[in-house]
């Protein structure tokens, strides 16, 4: 069974197909007549809050002809201690796919290992692959133009990731950047540098440690095609918010820092943003900020991912 738990669950040529399909689905939205999820129900199991992910998946499943079923983890017996394995086996008897947002990445690996339907990672503390695919697609739309090769347009481009460089979005850029052939430089406090787990995964996949880390944000943004940031205190880290504000202050994407990137550089943020903390409002509003295109593209990319997984499951 094919799953989408991490960026590299699609091979490079499959990523090209996902991006191309997302471009078609975006262009023909609602008129493509493509209903690869016709007659199917896909369950969304969420343990954390969500605006973009939940709504884009629910809408996307409907647009592909299927029915979404939203389940709050605490309303399931899973929230009262039923095992992940039994939950996966039971739900696989009812639904055709699972979209899961949780804390521990191992939970989605265990769901995927025990169930018999595709599982999609809708964010864990470790990775957020739907977001980074959407972000890379958003950049590629601009760099490749309407007919160009989306994946090829990413090759050799530099991404500067600032702030909390040890959590899901940073890890997804490290792994995704490696898959897309991009140069990833991260900059944040040394005690929030990329951790051993992402390094172990890169080594296990024989990708090598091909990202850079620096505590100097100016060095990171120099020559960057894309400047990226995320909240300083992610979901589950709220109690550290005040300490992180002090620690990560120097990594705020100010207009001065953004101006030090390439003159045509894009600004991205997965959202939700905290203006005045990780990024200045004027950068969020900048003409080269593409934050709402990233949000929109979650819908098109995830539809393409689901169509591919449903096709693989039928084989
Ligand atoms: N970017 C993102 O995943 O947003 P939500 O938390 O609103 O789903
Ligand atoms: N790093 C953030 C991403 C939200 C989309 C979090 O995990 O809260």
């Amino acid at each position: 069974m094919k799953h989408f738990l991490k960026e590299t669950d699609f091979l490079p040529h499959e990523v090209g197909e996902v991006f191309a399909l997302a471009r078609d689905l975006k262009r023909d939205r609602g008129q493509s007549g493509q209903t690869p999820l016709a007659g199917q129900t896909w369950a969304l199991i969420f343990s954390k809050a969500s605006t973009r992910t939940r709504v884009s998946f629910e809408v996307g499943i409907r647009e592909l002809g299927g029915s979404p079923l939203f389940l709050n983890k605490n309303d399931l017996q899973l929230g009262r201690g039923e095992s992940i394995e039994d939950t996966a086996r039971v739900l696989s008897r009812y639904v055709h796919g699972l979209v899961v947002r949780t804390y521990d990445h191992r939970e989605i690996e265990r769901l995927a290992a025990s169930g018999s339907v595709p599982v999609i990672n809708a964010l864990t503390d470790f990775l957020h692959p739907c977001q980074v695919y959407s972000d890379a697609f958003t950049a590629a739309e601009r760099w490749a133009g309407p007919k160009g090769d989306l994946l090829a347009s990413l090759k050799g481009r530099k991404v500067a990731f600032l702030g909390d460089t040890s959590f899901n979005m940073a890890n997804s850029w490290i792994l995704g950047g490696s898959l897309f052939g991009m140069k990833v430089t991260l900059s944040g406090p040394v005690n929030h540098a990329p951790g051993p787990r992402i390094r172990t995964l890169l080594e296990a996949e024989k990708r090598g440690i091909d990202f850079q880390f620096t505590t100097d944000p100016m060095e990171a943004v120099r020559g960057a095609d894309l400047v990226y940031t995320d909240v300083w205190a992610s979901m589950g880290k709220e109690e550290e918010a005040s300490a992180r504000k002090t620690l990560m202050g120097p990594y705020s994407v100010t207009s001065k820092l953004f101006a030090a990137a390439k003159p045509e550089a894009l600004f991205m943020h997965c959202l939700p943003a905290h203006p005045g903390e990780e990024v200045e409002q004027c950068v969020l509003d900048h003409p080269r900020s593409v934050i709402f295109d990233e949000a929109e593209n979650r819908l098109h990319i995830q539809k393409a991912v689901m169509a591919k997984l449903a096709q693989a499951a039928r084989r």
Side-chain angles (χ1 to χ4, degrees), residues 48 101 123 128 167-169 230-231 233-235 270-272:
K48 294 179 177 178
R101 170 167 283 200
L123 177 144
H128 195 5
F167 213 63
N168 45 23
M169 278 317 308
D230 182 13
V231 290
S234 285
M235 289 181 277
C270 54
L271 303 179

Side-chain angles (χ1 to χ4, degrees), residues 49-54 101 128 131 235 270-272 298:
S50 171
T51 297
R52 280 145 288 270
T53 309
R54 176 179 176 173
R101 170 167 283 200
H128 195 5
Q131 182 70 51
M235 289 181 277
C270 54
L271 303 179
R298 294 289 306 275

